[in-house]
Amino acid sequence: MTKIISKEELEYQKKYAEKVRLILNGLSSERGEALRFSVVTYGCQQNEADSERLAGMLSDMGYEKTDDVKEADLILVNTCAVREHAEVRALSVTGQYKHLKEKKPSLMIGVCGCMVSQEHRLDDIKFKYPYVDFAFGTSYLWQLPSIIYARLTKKKRLFMLDAEDEGNIAEDLPVMRECSYRAWLSVMYGCNNYCTYCVVPHVRGRERSRTKEDIIKEAKELIADGVKDITLLGQNVNSYGKTLYPDYGFAELLSDINAIDGDFTLRFMTSHPKDATKKLIDTMARCEKCAPQLHLPLQSGSDRILKRMNRRYTLESYKELVSYAREKIPGVVLTSDIIVGFPGETEEDFDLTMQALSDIKYDMVYSFIYSKRKNTPAAEYEDQVPDDIKGERFRRMLDLQNGIGQKINETYLNKTVRVLCDGISKTDADMLAGRTDGGKNVCFSGKAEEGEYVNVKITEARPFVLIGEIM
Ligand code: SAH
Ligand code: SF4
């Protein structure tokens, strides 16, 4: 059951935020400066969006933001559970904060997000990380004020596990966006697809959509606030609306947001191929603000493996959809996720995936080595692929995709593309970085401000990035 958090419950949290503010006022006047928070984020865009809400609530409580955890009085680690690697990293940084707490005993440390929505991980934090003050699963995000209040006023540590299958929607939480001109906009939460490898349905609860009114209101606020680039978020945006409306889905939502006045670009992720329809593609093609970008995770090119993954489409139906998209949206930037070494993946299955990549020719592929996730069916499959084979296939796939990405990027040579500038490049301080309307990474020379659109002439192509200069 989806629980809509009531206005009264949210008001109650506001009161807690006010109580925390009073306590922090006292503490900060004692020490002559404000108390500071740091939110450390792992994982997907949904987690980044959640962290912006956590930061918004903390700022409402009177904390100031710092990016330096050494300066922080409160560190909140927002974790991911999709692969073991993400969990190991989150646990390891949490481990490092022990030393910070030894130096500053008043430091408060919290852990939240998907990893601690799993009972065994919540227990790990509780018993193996005694310096962590509190941890809570994804469904408690909106209760941050009362959690902080409880920890500030009582000695007890707090650990809150989501009820299985629970899912809620909390509207109108304060938000502190990381970027003034790009924004996330969640249209739905949770997932009901139960791909056999995936932990998301277990940690994010059942699929539930926000009302179109709430989404459109938020979109209008973002646009009025000067946001130029909005990414609609959901684990499977194509099932938007199913829990709410008989005849209003994601395509209708896209059209309605597209119709809002203003100069902005609209993109979305993720689209599950089993639910992506021609109607969606037609809508994308028709909506002038919709970016020519489609992230359509294939996962495997073998129908046998797709079946074992419970993906519910075939390579053929997938390819048909891609052809349709390429026909209707010329120049569409197509990206995908692939899992390498899913249990039972034979050399022949893997070859089918390699063949699919060669045939489909993605702009970019996010490839992942299969990671066993507790409580998922695939973790129990007996025919697990040995690590060395997974690693070797992974490298072969990267090699293949590098070549494909390089070739596609070469088609941009000497062309001029519109780029939204994101400021100085992280890899080269003399260059600027940004993304095209289709979402391609561009590194370029010239002068531009963050958040400014510029025309860039492409002079060099690399597998993951286009190089150019401002016209
Ligand atoms: N809802 C999105 C995906 C969310 S998870 C979708 O269905 O497309 C992001 C990606 O992580 C997935 O597409 C998948 O490729 C990868 N992934 C998920 N679980 C995984 C696992 N157990 N091991 C390796 N990769 C995984
Ligand atoms: Fe995971 Fe599949 Fe849901 Fe995506 S659709 S979140 S891969 S279960």
Side-chain angles (χ1 to χ4, degrees), residues 120-132 157:
H120 67 288
R121 287 305 193 190
L122 193 75
D123 284 348
D124 280 347
I125 295 287
K126 189 169 171 179
F127 298 113
K128 299 184 192 156
Y129 297 76
Y131 47 89
V132 171
R157 301 162 72 212

Side-chain angles (χ1 to χ4, degrees), residues 341-411:
F342 182 80
E345 182 188 76
T346 61
E347 206 48 38
E348 290 75 45
D349 293 316
F350 180 68
D351 283 345
L352 288 169
T353 302
M354 295 282 274
Q355 190 57 51
L357 296 197
S358 301
D359 294 345
I360 297 167
K361 298 192 176 63
Y362 294 107
D363 287 80
M364 183 111 101
V365 169
Y366 301 89
S367 46
F368 306 105
I369 292 183
Y370 169 72
S371 168
K372 261 185 171 182
R373 303 286 66 210
K374 206 177 163 87
N375 296 326
T376 61
E380 308 299 323
Y381 293 173
E382 277 170 12
D383 40 5
Q384 300 288 328
V385 177
D387 284 347
D388 54 336
I389 297 186
K390 285 196 230 176
E392 184 262 332
R393 287 181 188 165
F394 183 75
R395 282 186 294 276
R396 264 159 67 198
M397 175 170 302
L398 283 188
D399 278 351
L400 173 70
Q401 180 55 36
N402 277 353
I404 296 170
Q406 171 72 29
K407 277 228 167 68
I408 295 180
N409 283 351
E410 281 169 9
T411 64

Side-chain angles (χ1 to χ4, degrees), residues 40-60:
V40 181
T41 311
Y42 291 94
C44 66
Q45 292 78 6
Q46 184 58 55
N47 251 19
E48 286 178 28
D50 283 352
S51 285
E52 292 184 348
R53 295 228 142 50
L54 292 164
M57 286 187 272
L58 289 169
S59 154
D60 241 27

Side-chain angles (χ1 to χ4, degrees), residues 191 193-195 197-198 200-201 235-236 272 299 311:
C191 182
N193 288 312
Y194 290 99
C195 301
Y197 50 80
C198 186
V200 171
Q235 291 302 339
N236 176 11
H272 193 305
Q299 312 297 1
R311 290 292 285 181

Side-chain angles (χ1 to χ4, degrees), residues 407-419:
K407 277 228 167 68
I408 295 180
N409 283 351
E410 281 169 9
T411 64
Y412 284 77
L413 282 174
N414 297 319
K415 289 192 179 142
T416 300
V417 289
R418 186 172 86 138
V419 174

Side-chain angles (χ1 to χ4, degrees), residues 75-137:
I75 303 174
L76 195 48
V77 189
N78 189 8
T79 61
C80 168
V82 128
R83 283 169 292 274
E84 189 181 12
H85 181 62
E87 295 193 333
V88 169
R89 272 172 57 207
L91 288 170
S92 134
V93 319
T94 307
Q96 290 161 24
Y97 300 151
K98 181 181 176 193
H99 305 295
L100 296 179
K101 190 137 175 170
E102 281 164 1
K103 281 195 205 128
K104 190 201 281 182
S106 66
L107 171 66
M108 209 194 280
I109 301 173
V111 181
C112 63
C114 293
M115 184 180 80
V116 285
S117 285
Q118 308 167 99
E119 190 168 4
H120 67 288
R121 287 305 193 190
L122 193 75
D123 284 348
D124 280 347
I125 295 287
K126 189 169 171 179
F127 298 113
K128 299 184 192 156
Y129 297 76
Y131 47 89
V132 171
D133 294 276
F134 60 87
F136 58 91

